[in-house]
Amino acid sequence: MAEYWFADGRAQFVGQNQSGKSTLMALTTLLMLAGSLDRKYVDTFGQSDKEYRYYVEPVADDRDRRDASASTNRGWAWVEYGRIGPLGTPEFFTTMLYTQTKRGVAQMTRAWVVCHGTARVRAGLDLAAGQAVTEPKALEAIDSVTVYPKGQTYAERLATDLFGFDDTDRYATVIEMLKVLRTPHLGQKLNPDWFTSQIRSALPPVAKSEVTELAHGWQELEQLARDRDSAEEARKAIAVYLTRAWRPWADAVLRLHADTLIAADTGVTEARAQVGAAKADLDDARKRLDEEARNTQHLEEARDRTRTELMQLLRSAAYTTAVERANDAKRLRTEANAAKRRAEKAAARLERTRAELEAAKSEQEKADEEHGNAEQELNLAARRAAETATGARLGDQVPQWAASGDVDRFDAAITARRAHVGTLRKLIRAASRASSAWQALDDVAQKAQEQLKERIEAAEATEQALAQALQILSDGLERWATTLGDVCPPVEVRDAWITAVTAQAGTLRPREVLTGLLTREWLDPATGPLTIRVAELRAAAKLQPPAPPKPNATLTHSKVPATRCPIRQCGGSVVTGRHSRPVPAPRCGVWSTRSTVSTQ
């Protein structure tokens, strides 16, 4: 037994998924209020996959810790409502449900009970005495207790006395709303239109100002929805523009600027080579100028020495002869002329070197200017290439590639982007083909689901017909057993017969087993002594002289009263399910009447 208390009509149940929270609420609220054990009130998911019988009768499952060996299971479910009456005394309204199941019997015994007064469970209402469950007929003697065999009258009593409804339609609406709202997955079974109409009819009218404000809110919401749709269309248009126009244009512009960058880099390299060559020529000119300057200095020193020697010679004219002086003078003149010519050549060479130096300086300035222009063009092309590559999202390292002039990385990134675009196009085509295949498979699945639904409905109808036939068979067998009195088969044997028939109903090719079981386990043992007795009488009759026959000679059997013989005539029929099948006559040729056994 388990009890759960509600504080001011409220309770909080916490637990993991599949721990029984929704089942507990269905047992304590929906079923007890609806007065019906229909599957739609039992299954917490709002479907028809679970029966109330599961909560009463244990199953042979490791997860079910209840004892599954008993053939009969019974129990109570009850909900107690209390309040303080007008006179200050407590008043209780207790709703109870009694159920009983038997193994092999599809029909479940049920009774709906209402107790309105001061009595309450364990205080005037004892639903169990030790391990024994109290049956509803034991509560009928208690005042203010009413037993309802049908749930409809029970629900009408709750609608009028407990909730104060004038009609049962409003009560049925409340039950339907509870059934919809109690499901764990509310959105799967919710009917918004019906639910809105019921709430609208139950609630007071809304003020016009609130309606106007709500209308404005809906208009703003619709405007937001239109803005959202417009933004979505703009996003799609931008995506199409990027895919079809901008990215191809960016690739082309990037390639164009990459070519310009390569050409500018080549120009810069050539300018640097020209500047290096000009610097080399300038260095050579400077070296030649230094050499000529040294030669000029040497010549000037020689000229000075010559002048000094000339002066010395002129001062030593006293001890030299005139010839020597003349020769010396001629020689000196010749040397002076030669020195003059060398000086003139050196001066001319110096002028040429100076002119070459000026030309080299002008070429260097021009090369420096071209180098500056090339660097500016290179930097501009690098910035444009970096901006284009950054806009194309080629990577976060694009500015570094442009700064370092790494063209190979640009080519690799562009090649990778083109490969990605090709792969994306292939994936789009594959997604289109997969979508078409999915659509075809979805159509096939819908048809298969419809066929499955039809087969499930046919199976449920067949299952219900089978359960009804088994119940009819069980009820007929029980009624037949009650007519036999002391010689009726035991309850265990009858349960075994019903279990065997039920087991055959679940096989692919069911066999007729009840006739054989009844004949083998009960009829033959019951008629065996009669057969032996008849054989003994026949043997005794053969030994004695024949006597005139007497009409209506009878022989009463002590064990099987003739008035309770289960078979009215040899070769009669016994109901074994949905059809009647003939029972073979005993081999002794005996038939039964109400009170005698006659021999032919």
Side-chain angles (χ1 to χ4, degrees):
M1 179 181 294
E3 292 185 12
Y4 298 92
W5 288 79
F6 293 74
D8 195 16
R10 297 178 177 86
Q12 182 177 4
F13 300 98
V14 181
Q16 299 179 353
N17 293 336
Q18 303 298 328
S19 61
K21 302 186 295 299
S22 300
T23 301
L24 177 61
M25 295 304 298
L27 290 176
T28 57
T29 57
L30 191 58
L31 290 174
M32 300 303 295
L33 293 177
S36 174
L37 298 183
D38 192 67
R39 292 186 178 184
K40 63 182 180 181
Y41 298 120
V42 176
D43 197 335
T44 58
F45 288 92
Q47 301 175 358
S48 300
D49 300 334
K50 187 182 293 183
E51 293 182 350
Y52 184 80
R53 188 186 187 98
Y54 168 77
Y55 302 113
V56 181
E57 186 176 70
V59 295
D61 192 347
D62 295 338
R63 295 174 294 181
D64 195 341
R65 294 175 294 180
R66 297 175 295 178
D67 185 11
S69 61
S71 61
T72 303
N73 297 273
R74 58 177 65 93
W76 287 89
W78 54 276
V79 180
E80 182 182 85
Y81 304 89
R83 68 177 180 180
I84 302 299
L87 300 179
T89 58
E91 182 181 357
F92 300 97
F93 194 99
T94 306
T95 60
M96 294 169 281
L97 168 62
Y98 172 82
T99 52
Q100 174 179 317
T101 62
K102 290 185 178 181
R103 297 284 181 181
V105 180
Q107 185 67 27
M108 181 173 60
T109 304
R110 68 194 70 180
W112 304 89
V113 183
V114 172
C115 179
H116 187 191
T118 58
R120 56 189 305 190
V121 177
R122 290 192 301 277
L125 288 176
D126 295 328
L127 302 182
Q131 298 295 327
V133 178
T134 305
E135 296 186 3
K137 61 183 180 181
L139 302 178
E140 294 179 352
I142 301 176
D143 294 337
S144 68
V145 172
T146 306
V147 179
Y148 297 94
K150 294 184 179 181
Q152 182 177 1
T153 54
Y154 162 84
E156 293 176 355
R157 171 74 181 279
L158 266 63
T160 56
D161 294 355
L162 182 59
F163 292 95
F165 290 134
D166 297 334
D167 54 358
T168 58
D169 293 338
R170 296 177 59 189
Y171 185 69
T173 301
V174 173
I175 297 300
E176 187 67 21
M177 293 174 67
L178 287 176
K179 181 174 72 69
V180 172
L181 294 177
R182 67 86 189 258
T183 57
H185 303 292
L186 180 59
Q188 294 182 358
K189 297 295 181 181
L190 183 63
N191 185 354
D193 296 335
W194 178 86
F195 198 83
T196 302
S197 64
Q198 299 301 326
I199 293 296
R200 182 174 298 167
S201 62
L203 294 177
V206 183
K208 292 184 178 180
S209 59
E210 296 180 358
V211 173
T212 303
E213 185 178 357
L214 182 61
H216 288 305
W218 277 111
Q219 291 177 357
E220 293 178 358
L221 182 61
E222 291 177 355
Q223 183 62 35
L224 290 176
R226 288 193 294 269
D227 294 342
R228 181 202 61 194
D229 296 338
S230 178
E232 183 67 19
E233 292 177 358
R235 185 187 68 80
K236 292 181 180 179
I238 291 173
V240 172
Y241 167 74
L242 291 176
T243 303
R244 297 182 178 178
W246 190 86
R247 288 178 180 172
W249 172 82
D251 293 339
V253 171
L254 188 62
R255 171 54 63 186
L256 177 62
H257 287 292
D259 296 338
T260 305
L261 179 64
I262 293 173
D265 184 69
T266 304
V268 170
T269 303
E270 293 177 356
R272 287 178 179 174
Q274 292 177 2
V275 169
K279 288 182 178 180
D281 294 339
L282 179 61
D283 293 339
D284 293 339
R286 286 177 178 175
K287 289 180 181 180
R288 289 196 301 271
L289 180 60
D290 293 338
E291 186 178 356
E292 292 298 332
R294 286 194 299 271
N295 292 333
T296 303
Q297 185 177 1
H298 292 163
L299 290 174
E300 289 179 351
E301 291 176 355
R303 185 189 63 183
D304 293 338
R305 286 195 304 271
T306 302
R307 286 180 180 178
T308 303
E309 291 176 357
L310 177 59
M311 294 302 295
Q312 289 178 358
L313 288 174
L314 291 174
R315 290 190 184 102
S316 60
Y319 60 89
T320 60
T321 60
V323 177
E324 291 177 354
R325 291 177 183 174
N327 292 333
D328 292 336
K330 186 178 181 180
R331 182 176 56 80
L332 290 174
R333 188 179 294 112
T334 302
E335 291 179 358
N337 290 333
K340 184 178 180 180
R341 287 192 298 271
R342 288 195 299 271
E344 290 177 353
K345 291 180 180 179
R349 190 180 299 168
L350 178 61
E351 292 296 332
R352 289 194 304 271
T353 302
R354 287 177 178 174
E356 291 178 356
L357 179 61
E358 293 295 333
K361 287 183 178 179
S362 62
E363 290 179 358
Q364 182 180 6
E365 292 176 356
K366 184 177 180 180
D368 291 338
E369 183 178 359
E370 292 179 354
H371 180 265
N373 294 333
E375 285 184 349
Q376 292 178 359
E377 293 179 357
L378 177 61
N379 294 331
L380 180 60
R383 287 195 299 272
R384 291 178 179 176
E387 292 175 357
T388 305
T390 303
R393 297 181 181 179
L394 293 180
D396 298 334
Q397 305 296 327
V398 170
Q400 298 179 4
W401 299 347
S404 61
D406 194 348
V407 182
D408 294 335
R409 291 184 180 271
F410 276 102
D411 293 337
I414 293 171
T415 303
R417 176 58 58 85
R418 289 177 177 173
H420 292 166
V421 170
T423 303
L424 182 59
R425 290 174 179 173
K426 293 180 181 179
L427 292 175
I428 291 174
R429 290 193 295 270
S432 178
R433 292 193 298 270
S435 178
S436 300
W438 172 83
Q439 188 66 31
L441 292 176
D442 185 63
D443 295 339
V444 175
Q446 288 181 356
K447 293 180 181 179
Q449 188 174 6
E450 292 176 357
Q451 295 178 359
L452 177 61
K453 184 177 180 181
E454 293 176 358
R455 294 181 180 179
I456 289 175
E457 292 177 355
E460 290 179 353
T462 304
E463 183 180 358
Q464 293 178 359
L466 177 60
Q468 185 177 2
L470 290 175
Q471 183 61 39
I472 293 173
L473 173 61
S474 177
D475 295 341
L477 185 62
E478 292 296 328
R479 287 193 297 269
W480 169 74
T482 56
T483 62
L484 300 181
D486 297 336
V487 297
C488 67
V491 177
E492 294 79 6
V493 175
R494 297 199 301 271
D495 290 343
W497 292 352
I498 296 299
T499 302
V501 174
T502 305
Q504 288 298 321
T507 60
L508 294 177
R509 295 181 178 180
R511 297 180 295 104
E512 180 185 357
V513 296
L514 185 58
T515 302
L517 292 173
L518 191 145
T519 303
R520 183 174 59 257
E521 297 181 3
W522 181 82
L523 184 59
D524 289 345
T527 57
L530 296 177
T531 304
I532 297 173
R533 181 59 178 169
V534 168
E536 293 176 353
L537 292 175
R538 286 182 176 177
K542 289 180 180 179
L543 296 177
Q544 295 178 0
K550 295 181 180 180
N552 296 330
T554 60
L555 178 62
T556 303
H557 197 276
S558 59
K559 292 185 178 181
V560 182
T563 57
R564 295 183 180 179
C565 184
I567 301 176
R568 298 305 179 189
Q569 185 177 359
C570 292
S573 61
V574 177
V575 178
T576 60
R578 300 176 61 181
H579 304 284
S580 297
R581 300 183 181 274
V583 179
R587 288 176 291 178
C588 63
V590 177
W591 72 82
S592 301
T593 63
R594 290 183 56 86
S595 60
T596 61
V597 176
S598 302
T599 59
Q600 293 181 349

